[in-house]
Amino acid sequence: MKFDDKVPIYFQIKNYLYHQIVTGILQPGEKMPSVRQLAIDVTANVNTVQRALTEMLSEEIIVSQRGKGNFVTTDVDSIQQLRNQLVEEQLSLMYKELHALNLTDEEILSEMKSYMESRDEAHE
């Protein structure tokens, strides 16, 4: 995993795991890789990975089973809320960046529609 120096590594690891959960790579109820395995997978310190997992546990996105490890929550509503949160964060970022270019809301919508149509044509 390539890290951005401007964002704490544990936060980037947490977002990486969020994406795996939201996209279904890690299914509800599925056992998470061990802390050591995750540290190897993302090339980060074990303590940094543990910090990310601790936050995810407090957010109840993952649950711990004593002696068995960490598991993705089976609460699909929580996963859907996480997905909505991630989508909103990305839209907010894009919106702010495009407004910084002095685009109006209408221009942003028009540009987004054109962009999506050109992507659709490229994939046909």
Side-chain angles (χ1 to χ4, degrees):
M1 187 171 165
K2 188 172 174 17
F3 295 108
D4 179 351
D5 292 339
K6 298 177 190 101
V7 180
I9 293 173
Y10 81 92
F11 188 80
Q12 293 176 68
I13 293 168
K14 196 168 72 161
N15 277 326
Y16 166 76
L17 293 170
Y18 283 164
H19 282 86
Q20 288 199 320
I21 292 168
V22 167
T23 59
I25 294 170
L26 289 171
Q27 293 287 315
E30 183 176 341
K31 187 177 188 323
M32 300 279 295
S34 70
V35 175
R36 291 189 191 284
Q37 186 59 53
L38 278 171
I40 291 168
D41 292 348
V42 299
T43 63
N45 181 289
V46 173
N47 295 328
T48 305
V49 172
Q50 185 58 53
R51 181 170 180 191
L53 293 176
T54 299
E55 285 201 8
M56 292 176 74
L57 283 164
S58 70
E59 295 164 357
E60 299 180 353
I61 297 302
I62 61 173
V63 293
S64 181
Q65 293 183 10
R66 185 178 215 111
K68 293 183 179 180
N70 295 317
F71 294 79
V72 176
T73 183
T74 55
D75 182 355
V76 291
D77 289 337
S78 290
I79 295 172
Q80 184 61 43
Q81 287 175 353
L82 175 61
R83 181 184 181 278
N84 293 344
Q85 174 189 332
L86 294 173
V87 168
E88 187 170 330
E89 287 171 3
Q90 290 301 308
L91 289 172
S92 176
L93 180 63
M94 180 186 72
Y95 184 78
K96 287 176 188 172
E97 291 291 325
L98 293 174
H99 262 282
L101 295 174
N102 292 326
L103 271 74
T104 65
D105 289 353
E106 294 77 23
E107 289 171 320
I108 291 171
L109 287 171
S110 176
E111 291 294 332
M112 192 64 192
K113 184 177 179 189
S114 294
Y115 174 78
M116 291 168 60
E117 288 170 354
S118 70
R119 294 213 18 110
D120 288 345
E121 291 169 5
H123 288 75
E124 288 180 1

